[in-house]
Amino acid sequence: MLWMYTTEGRKDFSQKDIQIEEKELDFICDMGCNFIRLPIDYRFFVQDFNYGNSNEKMLEVLDFCIESIISRGLHCSLNVHRAPGYCINGAETERHNLWKDKEAQDEFVRLWKDFAIRYSNYNENQLSFDLLNEPPNINQYGMTRETHKSIMERVISAIKSVDSKRAIIIDGLGGGNLAMPEMAKSGVIHSTRGYQPMALTHYEASWCEDTKGLEAPIYPGTNWDKKTWTRETLVEHYKPWKDVEKQGVKVHVGECGCYNKVDNTLALNWFKDLFSVYSELDWGFALWNFKGDFGIVSHNRKNTRWESIKGFSVDRDLYELMKATIK
């Protein structure tokens, strides 16, 4: 749910500006789903790089968002999508570099420790902490596996010092795609992504430099990253994650989905394979997002069988596929 995903374009930081459609949560519950990922932008709480101080009024808005999810029996995974010094989208707008600068690292730790204190009344089955959305590629922005491990373990320690039972999630490196065997003993859940092949899922996505100018994809059979993508390729892609899982790590797919520039018949062929792989692996997954260009509602892909369900324009075939998968 993208209620507090970004401050960009916001005119007013207030609960009035954060529009929560509670009927969306009711729809999700009725589908049989049990998990909501809530990505947030730290700038809602810390304005103008005024580290060490959080806007209490906006924290109260976050309280309301979390309670709206948890009160329905859904698990809420609170995720920092933009952190002090890093975001996968527009990291250059930050004053500091999370991977190099102590100021950003200290603030990152403070935010999560404060969240641990603030939400200690929720148990681990109700609320988890997803520390940072999609760290960069190795050596991008100065991040290495060693620096990532050091920073994440520092945050994990800070949270556990307050709440030893809190469920904690770390996203894979390289935008969520690279497994982290070096973090296998950290006692946290590892989160991967379901966007491969990017030539299909991000076809004509304006923000994705890697997929610009590509030919229209097919599936199965699209060529991407020196591979021809089929169900077998998807299985092979997740093998490093399966290897980490064998060390006792829980694995979750924090995001998956397909942008709306491809034909929906093509997207559904891919979704069927993707969800069947997740069922085989026994991994949970979250669709980015509920309503919008990647969503189950109003994505506007061509050749979609639309149906009005409880006031929403729903991709009926994707809806049925998801329901069958989560059962």
Side-chain angles (χ1 to χ4, degrees):
M1 309 306 286
L2 305 187
W3 307 323
M4 302 186 78
Y5 157 65
T6 181
T7 59
E8 300 295 335
R10 300 282 189 181
K11 296 180 180 179
D12 176 37
F13 289 177
S14 67
Q15 185 164 331
K16 182 180 179 181
D17 191 48
I18 309 298
Q19 297 297 323
I20 298 177
E21 294 288 344
E22 299 201 45
K23 66 179 184 178
E24 296 181 354
L25 295 173
D26 295 334
F27 184 102
I28 291 166
C29 284
D30 290 343
M31 276 188 71
C33 301
N34 62 3
F35 179 96
I36 296 286
R37 186 165 179 257
L38 182 61
I40 62 173
D41 182 338
Y42 86 99
R43 297 175 300 181
F44 278 112
F45 319 106
V46 180
Q47 281 92 48
D48 300 320
F49 306 105
N50 186 21
Y51 295 164
N53 297 283
S54 293
N55 183 325
E56 178 62 25
K57 289 185 178 180
M58 290 311 299
L59 286 171
E60 291 172 1
V61 175
L62 181 60
D63 295 344
F64 179 74
C65 292
I66 292 173
E67 180 61 23
S68 295
I69 294 168
I70 291 175
S71 64
R72 286 170 167 77
L74 294 162
H75 179 92
C76 178
S77 183
L78 179 63
N79 163 245
V80 170
H81 191 275
R82 176 177 286 272
Y86 177 72
C87 182
I88 195 167
N89 300 317
E92 66 278 358
T93 63
E94 292 295 316
R95 179 173 294 178
H96 300 98
N97 182 327
L98 178 62
W99 313 108
K100 293 181 177 182
D101 297 333
K102 186 176 184 297
E103 298 95 328
Q105 294 166 11
D106 289 349
E107 181 65 0
F108 186 49
V109 173
R110 182 193 73 84
L111 281 171
W112 274 118
K113 187 170 183 178
D114 285 357
F115 286 148
I117 295 168
R118 190 175 189 93
Y119 300 120
S120 60
N121 57 309
Y122 293 120
N123 66 45
E124 65 273 21
N125 294 318
Q126 295 173 310
L127 179 68
S128 58
F129 291 164
D130 183 353
L131 301 186
L132 180 67
N133 181 71
E134 298 178 356
N137 287 311
I138 297 166
N139 297 323
Q140 187 180 18
Y141 304 116
M143 190 214 73
T144 66
R145 286 187 180 272
E146 291 74 20
T147 57
H148 172 265
K149 184 175 186 289
S150 176
I151 294 167
M152 294 304 136
E153 288 188 342
R154 184 181 168 198
V155 178
I156 292 165
S157 178
I159 293 169
K160 294 294 187 180
S161 72
V162 173
D163 188 346
S164 61
K165 294 184 178 181
R166 179 62 56 209
I168 297 173
I169 300 170
I170 54 172
D171 290 6
L173 307 182
N177 288 292
L178 300 179
M180 302 163 289
E182 69 276 9
M183 297 288 292
K185 305 302 181 184
S186 297
V188 297
I189 300 161
H190 291 210
S191 180
T192 185
R193 292 293 178 267
Y195 290 127
Q196 298 299 333
M198 294 279 286
L200 186 157
T201 65
H202 284 64
Y203 177 63
E204 292 191 353
S206 61
W207 65 92
C208 186
E209 291 293 331
D210 291 343
T211 61
K212 285 186 177 179
L214 296 181
E215 294 181 358
I218 58 173
Y219 188 85
T222 281
N223 292 313
W224 172 253
D225 194 25
K226 301 179 181 180
K227 303 171 187 174
T228 301
W229 287 82
T230 64
R231 187 184 188 280
E232 289 70 29
T233 320
L234 290 170
V235 171
E236 185 65 22
H237 172 72
Y238 290 115
K239 186 177 183 300
W241 292 86
K242 187 66 178 176
D243 290 343
V244 173
E245 185 181 48
K246 290 176 181 177
Q247 299 185 55
V249 172
K250 292 182 179 179
V251 175
H252 184 262
V253 185
E255 291 180 23
C256 63
C258 183
Y259 192 42
N260 67 2
K261 302 304 182 186
V262 299
D263 187 281
N264 201 47
T265 304
L266 179 63
L268 288 169
N269 287 341
W270 173 77
F271 273 120
K272 288 174 185 176
D273 277 357
L274 189 76
F275 291 167
S276 73
V277 169
Y278 294 160
S279 293
E280 185 177 285
L281 292 168
D282 197 25
W283 291 351
F285 65 92
L287 183 72
W288 182 288
N289 48 340
F290 173 71
K291 182 179 180 181
D293 293 344
F294 282 78
I296 193 171
V297 171
S298 303
H299 58 59
N300 294 324
R301 284 193 290 271
K302 293 180 180 179
N303 292 320
T304 297
R305 185 164 67 105
W306 296 108
E307 186 170 327
S308 179
I309 304 177
K310 299 176 182 176
F312 294 99
S313 182
V314 179
D315 180 339
R316 183 74 201 198
D317 293 307
L318 181 55
Y319 173 82
E320 293 294 347
L321 182 59
M322 287 190 69
K323 281 180 65 69
T325 303
I326 60 180
K327 287 180 182 179

